[in-house]
Amino acid sequence: MPMTFRATALIAALSLSSAHAAGFYVGANVGASDAQSLGNAASAGIYAGYAIDSWVTLEAGYNRLGRWLGHDQGQPYTTIVNNVDVSLTAGPRFDRRFRAYGRIGFVDWSTIGTGGGGEHRVTGSSAQNDMLEELHQGFYGVGVSYRLRHRIGLRLEYRIYRAMAVNGHDLDISSLLLGATYHFG
């Protein structure tokens, strides 16, 4: 009897892990971002990834984290935060459809500020115009995903981006994102 139980458990574990094993996926997300001292803004993005196995995925994405209005020395400006990221997720599957995961990644920021009647685009981390900074840093998050159908899934994720210099000030941005995913495999 114990041998039958072990064989059944092994077959069940293999079928569970193969349900969402390796394969490519693409998706889009929408949500809300909160930047300390700037407030809330709508966000959206796209992503593509590869599930290495049932626990680990590698993903790249483009996000528009938000658009905020402000004033600097009496001049109005708009801060638009866009990013390109690469990240790794890891986490267990609890059944054939549900997965919880943690995310850690690298961000290449491109933050555009407008003000004084025109748009200013400056590259580099030591820009003369402080309304635009280009930064490279990490981020992290947690999330859950659920497969509605064999190829279609939903996910909900919370991310934290730290120490981003905007207009000469560091600030933290947190995002809550709802995504829809299409799995090729």
Side-chain angles (χ1 to χ4, degrees):
M1 187 70 165
M3 185 61 106
T4 305
F5 177 73
R6 288 182 192 154
T8 305
L10 179 62
I11 291 169
L14 290 173
S15 68
L16 179 63
S17 66
S18 68
H20 296 283
F24 288 97
Y25 61 89
V26 295
N29 58 45
V30 295
S33 294
D34 178 45
Q36 75 183 59
S37 78
L38 293 178
N40 296 322
S43 62
I46 56 173
Y47 53 89
Y50 181 75
I52 297 167
D53 60 22
S54 65
W55 271 70
V56 179
T57 65
L58 180 61
E59 188 174 295
Y62 170 81
N63 295 288
R64 180 170 180 165
L65 291 179
R67 180 176 183 262
W68 292 273
L69 304 174
H71 287 82
D72 183 68
Q73 299 176 3
Q75 293 292 322
Y77 68 89
T78 302
T79 300
I80 301 170
V81 180
N82 301 309
N83 77 9
V84 175
D85 64 64
V86 175
S87 60
L88 187 68
T89 69
R93 298 204 182 278
F94 293 104
D95 62 20
R96 294 177 62 88
R97 296 178 182 242
F98 182 73
R99 177 179 180 235
Y101 58 89
R103 177 182 302 276
I104 187 163
F106 177 79
V107 174
D108 181 7
W109 289 102
S110 176
T111 315
I112 301 168
T114 61
E119 184 171 308
H120 305 281
R121 290 180 180 257
V122 182
T123 59
S125 59
S126 60
Q128 186 176 8
N129 178 356
D130 284 338
M131 291 202 286
L132 173 67
E133 296 285 343
E134 191 172 298
L135 302 172
H136 312 284
Q137 33 202 322
F139 73 101
Y140 59 92
V142 294
V144 294
S145 64
Y146 184 78
R147 285 265 183 117
L148 298 172
R149 303 233 186 274
H150 175 66
R151 297 198 183 272
I152 305 295
L154 292 176
R155 71 184 194 183
L156 182 64
E157 188 169 337
Y158 180 73
R159 293 182 181 183
I160 297 175
Y161 304 89
R162 296 260 181 213
M164 184 190 72
V166 172
N167 204 22
H169 305 287
D170 286 348
L171 71 131
D172 297 339
I173 296 178
S174 60
S175 289
L176 184 61
L177 303 166
L178 176 63
T181 306
Y182 180 82
H183 299 267
F184 294 101

